[in-house]
Amino acid sequence: MASSALLALCSAGAFSGLAVEAGAGVCHATPIYAGHSWQEATFRLDVAGSTLSRYLRDLLVAAFPDLQLRALPRKAITQLKKRCCYVSLDFEGDLLNPDRHHPATFCLGNGCSVCLSSERFRCPEPIFQPRLLGQTKPGLPALVFQALQKVPARLRTRLADTVVLAGGSTLFPGFTERLEMELEAQCRRHGYGALRPHLVAKPGRGTAVWTGGSMVASLRSFQCHWITRAMYQEYGSRLVHEVFN
């Protein structure tokens, strides 16, 4: 039983920092200090991988109305998203200039092939601009900045030095660069120009929480927290609360 944000930090060898999780169901920005989550400074965005997959399906249906793409399996859409989509560093500029699109052809496995153009960078954009899906919440960079803003000033620089990315939706090419660029812009815009967040984006960040969990469970100090099958059968579910509280 552990905070996924803490485990993400552990995967990077840290116990203090800011975990930015963008997985399948939700995005979170969670400050962690000395192994403890700062709940009142944690912000959530209900746009993540599954939302982006549905959005990509809608974009494809609009672009190729004759191909009956609405019936495509979710797995095919997910593969298409992972292989072809990327985050634009200048979304509005790329959208207006077709010469800056980078078309890619993908075989859907049902005998059809589609050629993606602007859909490649439009798909992940709602993480940065939820308004594209009709949501009023700010995008992930603004939420990350708000999380830093909420922590005490004496700890802000220390936590900003370790902004750890975790989750499969952070793996889009361009994601790290765009987040860093917009986060720095947020700091300048709100009078925190001296604050220079440092993003930690490890290649295995898609499974960072699992990796962090395996590392913590291997520590000698953790061994007293193991619950065996025999213990659980004897004491029941209340044992979980006694061991971890």
Side-chain angles (χ1 to χ4, degrees):
M1 305 293 288
S3 158
S4 60
L6 173 60
L7 297 184
L9 247 63
C10 291
S11 74
F15 283 95
S16 294
L18 177 63
V20 179
E21 301 172 88
V26 69
C27 293
H28 280 112
T30 309
I32 304 283
Y33 180 69
H36 297 284
S37 303
W38 224 298
Q39 293 300 326
E40 63 271 21
T42 296
F43 291 88
R44 168 184 176 132
L45 175 64
D46 291 316
V47 175
S50 297
T51 313
L52 299 182
S53 294
R54 292 192 294 270
Y55 185 49
L56 178 57
R57 186 193 298 275
D58 292 340
L59 292 174
L60 292 174
V61 169
F64 307 98
D66 299 329
L67 293 184
Q68 303 298 318
L69 298 179
R70 186 68 68 185
L72 267 180
R74 185 174 61 179
K75 184 176 181 180
I77 295 290
T78 300
Q79 287 177 342
L80 178 59
K81 179 184 70 175
K82 289 180 177 180
R83 293 183 188 180
C84 295
C85 293
Y86 65 92
V87 172
S88 169
L89 300 184
D90 178 15
F91 180 73
E92 302 299 336
D94 286 349
L95 201 58
L96 293 172
N97 188 352
D99 291 338
R100 286 158 61 171
H101 299 177
H102 303 286
T105 301
F106 184 83
C107 180
L108 298 173
N110 59 356
C112 293
S113 294
V114 294
C115 182
L116 277 72
S117 183
S118 64
E119 295 82 14
R120 296 186 68 195
F121 62 85
R122 288 167 66 194
C123 168
E125 188 63 21
I127 283 184
F128 298 88
Q129 298 192 68
R131 64 178 178 80
L132 295 172
L133 298 178
Q135 296 198 21
T136 57
K137 272 196 172 183
L140 187 59
L143 297 184
V144 174
F145 173 74
Q146 288 175 18
L148 285 173
Q149 203 176 26
K150 271 275 190 179
V151 301
R154 60 188 173 83
L155 299 176
R156 195 171 292 137
T157 299
R158 179 174 177 181
L159 298 190
D161 282 342
T162 311
V163 179
V164 177
L165 304 189
S169 294
T170 68
L171 294 173
F172 289 110
F175 184 97
T176 304
E177 294 83 356
R178 173 76 175 277
L179 180 60
E180 185 172 44
M181 181 177 71
E182 292 206 12
L183 189 51
E184 287 178 355
Q186 288 277 342
C187 291
R188 289 193 302 269
R189 190 178 305 127
H190 293 89
Y192 294 84
L195 192 64
R196 297 297 175 88
H198 173 68
L199 271 59
V200 179
K202 291 184 172 292
R205 60 188 180 276
T207 53
V209 173
W210 187 93
T211 301
S214 68
M215 292 167 65
V216 170
S218 300
L219 295 174
R220 183 174 298 176
S221 59
F222 186 83
Q223 302 313 304
C224 61
H225 293 301
W226 285 105
I227 295 176
T228 66
R229 182 184 181 88
M231 290 166 63
Y232 188 85
Q233 288 177 332
E234 182 176 355
Y235 296 101
S237 59
R238 66 182 175 86
L239 182 64
V240 177
H241 300 281
E242 290 177 6
V243 170
F244 289 103
N245 281 340

